[in-house]
Amino acid sequence: MWVVRVSKKRKVPAPAVLSILWVFDMNPAHAVFFLFFSAFIVSLFPGFASGDSPVKLETIVVTAGREDKGAERLARPVRVLDRQDLSRIPGAGLVDVLAREAGLVPREGVGKSGGLDIRGMGDTSSSNVLVLLDDVPMNARDLSGVDFSTIAMEDIERIEIIRGSGAVHWGSGAVGGVIRIVTKKPAELSATLSSETGSFGHRKNRIQTSGSSKDFAFRLYGGHNQTSGYRENSAFEAKDAGLDLRLGRKGPFSFALSGHVHEDTYGLPGPVTAGRSRKSASTPHDGGETFEKRFTARAEGDFDSIGTLKLQRSLRYRDQKMDMTGRQSWEEMEILPVDIAVTEKILRADYHLPFAGNSLHLGLDHLESHYIRTDPDANLARRHNGRIIEYGAFAAADLGITESLRLALGGRYHHVDADYRYDRMDLQEWRQYALRSEAWEKQAWDAGLIYEVNSELHLYTSFASSFRSPNVDELAKASSDLRPQETRHMELGFRTFAPGRYRLEAGLFSMEAHDEIYYDSLLQENRNYEDTTLRRGLETSLSLYPSPSLSFRLDMTLMQARFEKKDTVIPLVPERHAGLQISWEPVEVVGLHLAGRWFDSRYDGNDYDNREKKLDAFHVWDIRARLHRAPLDIFMEINNMLDEEYALAAYSGAFYPMPGRQFKAGVALWF
């Protein structure tokens, strides 16, 4: 297992990165050739080799909306993970790493890449937790959820986790929280060639290289990832590649273009019932494949005293074919897969004006999503067509009332047009069978106060609203009166910190949701709860730094997610969970990182009356050892080192088991 990283003072010209084509069939011989080829090309282009001093990382800031704002100036809990943090946290994948934070619960085991629940959204977390990749929403306007397998950990610069409502700045779906992922940008010479190997046939290869001149920069990357899976029919294989270009890096105007292509194939082993092996598959032949491409163009102008203007246009296309018939043999029938094609176009405009220590933020956004699902059944072919058009306008202000008291205010107007059409095949032609059109107008508001008691203690409180409109999957099987849900939020908490010594954060939150959307399995349609749903809890995190080489982080969440009138617990939401991280770096080049998490029991996903047996509580421990000294970087990791048997989700007694103990390791070499 080997990894090669290039990251120093020189800049790589574009021709050097063409060897990325080898990433899909990587072996050590190709890696060595890539290194010598890159060095040779650099020597031919002295203009790229000369330049500024080594790149310095910018000060980490949090973008609650789309303007940069310090984390201490937000009236809600925030957690920022930079590249150094991500390199220290052990975990089997991106979802696993993020689930170590307070208030976040993993939703793995059901699909190919899992998901994340923030603040007890339960089974609808895929539509109530907004995930942004470079400010482009990754939540499709259906129930498929965010495909985290299309986001490589190696491409991430930092991750911002903002719990609570984000509706003013981001619109529909920012209910439980917002996860904002920022990828690496083109810079001076930075090339990485990496490979991993591990249990269950895990193998991962990635390559990345970038370079810059005075007014131009690029980053080219790609990768291959595969595993045979920890269960029958759980194999996964993916390839991806991308290119980022930036122009006008030194002037008041800058432009950026980026493109990304991803394809994968995967098995869907299905749930396991009691008495069956956890490694068995109830659906041994189900599976699918995905092809996705996305493109983004950005323009930014910095006009000094009159503010900055940002424009962004993105296009995302996904084609997904799935066989989910549950058949038990290849000979059982000839299966034609379900085909889902989704196209999304998003336009954003943001204007940010700072003045006298205050700021004003104005924004417009527009989304158009087209969805086509074709079921080529031998007896009755069907096609589902969905179109959702959203546009919104918002304004937000950050005002200094006194030197120690700040007020944040914001509001949004949002309009949604939704169409759903159902077609059937008749005489070799598609004919319209049903049509439904809806239009909704929604508003959201946000008000927060931050009081700086002193330089080491901040108090905050906020009140906000959020909303979520039905998506195309929900419109496909909807009650006649299905409508958007609305939620009201309250936050109250504090942050106290002493750099290099400790940081303590604690906050109370309350969420009251009206008309929450859910799927009624008895009536087989999507409806609004008649009962108000209440989510209230306490989130705490404590970081201690007893010495420069040793650090501790403890997270704990207490959650009450209930139906108001019934006083029953919302399924799949644990009432308590906690995490512990210990990092020991006795010398600068050596690190040992231990991370554990514990989750309380939770009710079955279909047990709304709380009458059935709960899923068992569990705890999982991971450990990572790392040696990093130029020109060498080595890591070894054990996930679920106690080989805990557990499940994160179950429906009607059938559960989705998680992996047992697994190993992986890697090495890095750069010049």
Side-chain angles (χ1 to χ4, degrees):
M1 210 285 307
W2 45 270
V3 178
V4 179
R5 177 182 298 164
V6 181
S7 177
K8 276 296 174 184
K9 297 182 180 180
R10 290 194 167 186
K11 304 175 182 178
V12 180
V17 301
L18 296 179
S19 53
I20 194 173
L21 297 175
W22 286 318
V23 76
F24 299 122
D25 185 22
M26 192 68 68
N27 59 49
H30 290 159
V32 173
F33 183 86
F34 172 80
L35 294 176
F36 282 100
F37 180 69
S38 297
F40 174 72
I41 293 297
V42 168
S43 67
L44 297 180
F45 289 83
F48 273 91
S50 63
D52 303 328
S53 59
V55 64
K56 295 182 180 179
L57 293 178
E58 298 179 356
T59 301
I60 292 295
V61 293
V62 173
T63 308
R66 298 168 199 153
E67 79 279 11
D68 289 338
K69 184 185 296 186
E72 312 308 333
R73 293 171 61 184
L74 294 179
R76 52 178 43 90
V78 180
R79 169 72 164 150
V80 180
L81 300 171
D82 59 22
R83 274 190 291 176
Q84 286 72 26
D85 295 322
L86 295 174
S87 68
R88 295 185 178 104
I89 303 174
L94 179 56
V95 171
D96 198 41
V97 168
L98 291 176
R100 301 193 184 282
E101 301 303 319
L104 275 68
V105 175
R107 300 273 297 136
E108 296 181 279
V110 178
K112 63 174 179 176
S113 65
L116 286 164
D117 184 4
I118 300 182
R119 292 190 167 175
M121 300 313 303
D123 215 19
T124 60
S125 58
S126 61
S127 300
N128 285 287
V129 175
L130 189 62
V131 178
L132 306 168
L133 183 67
D134 293 327
D135 292 345
V136 176
M138 296 297 288
N139 306 66
R141 290 309 190 265
D142 57 21
L143 287 173
S144 60
V146 175
D147 189 350
F148 284 94
S149 70
T150 66
I151 306 172
M153 289 276 290
E154 294 82 359
D155 294 334
I156 297 175
E157 179 69 27
R158 73 177 187 270
I159 300 175
E160 300 166 2
I161 303 169
I162 305 152
R163 299 191 288 276
S165 173
V168 166
H169 290 92
W170 300 106
S172 177
V175 180
V178 176
I179 299 173
R180 182 174 180 259
I181 301 172
V182 180
T183 61
K184 297 176 182 177
K185 299 299 183 286
E188 298 179 5
L189 175 58
S190 176
T192 305
L193 180 63
S194 65
S195 180
E196 295 179 7
T197 188
S199 305
F200 310 127
H202 170 69
R203 190 175 70 182
K204 184 178 183 180
N205 304 309
R206 290 202 66 79
I207 189 170
Q208 172 184 288
T209 186
S210 64
S212 65
S213 61
K214 181 178 180 181
D215 295 315
F216 171 77
F218 74 90
R219 185 174 77 99
L220 186 62
Y221 60 91
H224 175 264
N225 183 19
Q226 71 178 40
T227 176
S228 58
Y230 61 97
R231 299 175 57 194
E232 298 175 19
N233 192 35
S234 62
F236 173 79
E237 182 174 7
K239 301 176 182 179
D240 73 286
L243 174 65
D244 294 335
L245 301 174
R246 287 182 173 269
L247 301 173
R249 301 171 62 236
K250 304 297 183 180
F253 297 96
S254 62
F255 305 91
L257 295 172
S258 63
H260 180 88
V261 178
H262 170 94
E263 63 178 8
D264 61 44
T265 58
Y266 54 92
L268 293 171
V272 173
T273 54
R276 294 194 59 180
S277 168
R278 300 175 64 88
K279 295 183 178 181
S280 65
S282 59
T283 54
H285 301 295
D286 284 6
E289 59 184 52
T290 305
F291 175 75
E292 177 175 305
K293 55 185 178 182
R294 53 181 184 261
F295 305 94
T296 303
R298 302 179 183 88
E300 181 174 349
D302 188 345
F303 306 104
D304 296 327
S305 61
I306 61 174
T308 60
L309 178 65
K310 300 179 182 179
L311 300 175
Q312 178 169 294
R313 178 67 165 174
S314 62
L315 170 66
R316 183 182 176 198
Y317 170 79
R318 185 182 86 233
D319 184 58
Q320 190 171 11
K321 295 179 173 61
M322 294 186 294
D323 177 357
M324 299 180 63
T325 56
R327 58 199 172 99
Q328 298 298 307
S329 68
W330 288 110
E331 295 78 17
E332 189 172 332
M333 63 178 71
E334 182 179 354
I335 298 297
L336 297 174
V338 172
D339 193 326
I340 300 175
V342 180
T343 302
E344 291 191 345
K345 302 175 183 178
I346 301 175
L347 176 65
R348 301 185 187 279
D350 294 275
Y351 174 66
H352 181 218
L353 174 64
F355 59 96
N358 306 309
S359 67
L360 175 66
H361 185 196
L362 304 176
L364 298 171
D365 46 47
H366 176 271
L367 176 143
E368 183 175 350
S369 178
H370 294 265
Y371 171 98
I372 300 176
R373 170 174 172 151
T374 306
D375 299 329
D377 187 272
N379 299 316
L380 180 61
R382 295 160 293 180
R383 187 173 66 184
H384 305 267
N385 301 269
R387 184 187 68 166
I388 291 181
I389 298 177
E390 303 181 21
Y391 55 86
F394 71 91
D398 183 9
L399 307 172
I401 307 301
T402 66
E403 289 187 0
S404 58
L405 183 65
R406 301 199 66 85
L407 172 66
L409 295 173
R412 162 180 283 267
Y413 167 81
H414 200 84
H415 182 88
V416 180
D417 287 315
D419 299 314
Y420 167 74
R421 192 181 79 238
Y422 173 44
D423 302 334
R424 288 182 178 176
M425 181 66 72
D426 184 15
L427 300 177
Q428 305 303 314
E429 292 184 1
W430 290 107
R431 298 185 183 275
Q432 180 177 307
Y433 184 76
L435 175 65
R436 176 172 181 169
S437 297
E438 299 284 356
W440 299 290
E441 293 185 356
K442 305 303 297 180
Q443 295 81 38
W445 51 268
D446 197 338
L449 281 172
I450 305 96
Y451 178 57
E452 185 176 336
V453 179
N454 53 50
S455 61
E456 296 184 353
L457 175 61
H458 295 174
L459 309 178
Y460 66 83
T461 185
S462 68
F463 299 86
S465 68
S466 66
F467 62 91
R468 180 174 83 82
S469 302
N471 57 49
V472 290
D473 279 342
E474 289 166 334
L475 289 173
K477 291 185 177 182
S479 63
S480 58
D481 59 346
L482 184 67
R483 55 197 177 276
Q485 68 183 46
E486 298 181 355
T487 306
R488 301 213 169 182
H489 305 251
M490 186 278 291
E491 306 273 354
L492 178 64
F494 71 90
R495 293 182 279 260
T496 178
F497 45 88
R501 294 169 52 200
Y502 73 90
R503 182 181 183 92
L504 172 64
E505 300 185 48
L508 297 168
F509 69 88
S510 175
M511 299 168 56
E512 183 177 300
H514 300 274
D515 299 326
E516 185 168 340
I517 302 170
Y518 79 107
Y519 180 70
D520 189 322
S521 58
L522 295 178
L523 297 177
Q524 295 189 344
E525 64 180 16
N526 293 284
R527 305 175 60 85
N528 299 98
Y529 284 127
E530 295 181 1
D531 201 354
T532 299
T533 53
L534 302 175
R535 295 171 174 87
R536 293 167 180 164
L538 169 67
E539 296 165 335
T540 64
S541 64
L542 172 64
S543 297
L544 295 173
Y545 311 97
S547 72
S549 62
L550 186 63
S551 66
F552 299 86
R553 180 175 173 83
L554 175 64
D555 294 311
M556 183 180 68
T557 300
L558 303 177
M559 167 73 70
Q560 286 188 346
R562 296 179 176 271
F563 297 100
E564 184 178 35
K565 294 179 181 179
K566 296 180 180 178
D567 196 31
T568 54
V569 176
I570 296 174
L572 296 179
V573 178
E575 293 188 328
R576 294 170 296 173
H577 58 94
L580 174 65
Q581 299 177 43
I582 303 174
S583 291
W584 181 48
E585 297 175 325
V587 293
E588 183 179 358
V589 298
V590 175
L592 185 64
H593 312 285
L594 176 68
R597 55 181 178 173
W598 172 81
F599 289 94
D600 198 0
S601 58
R602 64 193 81 182
Y603 285 101
D604 185 291
N606 289 328
D607 187 10
Y608 291 94
D609 295 324
N610 301 167
R611 295 178 179 177
E612 306 298 329
K613 180 182 177 181
K614 290 183 176 181
L615 279 74
D616 293 335
F618 65 90
H619 57 89
V620 177
W621 293 88
D622 303 330
I623 192 168
R624 179 183 180 94
R626 185 175 176 224
L627 171 65
H628 51 104
R629 182 176 182 178
L632 194 65
D633 195 336
I634 302 173
F635 80 89
M636 293 180 290
E637 187 170 315
I638 306 175
N639 303 128
N640 191 5
M641 61 181 183
L642 301 181
D643 202 19
E644 179 88 351
E645 292 188 0
Y646 67 102
L648 295 168
Y651 299 90
S652 301
F655 61 93
Y656 292 83
M658 293 298 295
R661 185 185 298 114
Q662 50 188 317
F663 304 85
K664 63 179 178 180
V667 112
L669 174 67
W670 63 91
F671 62 93

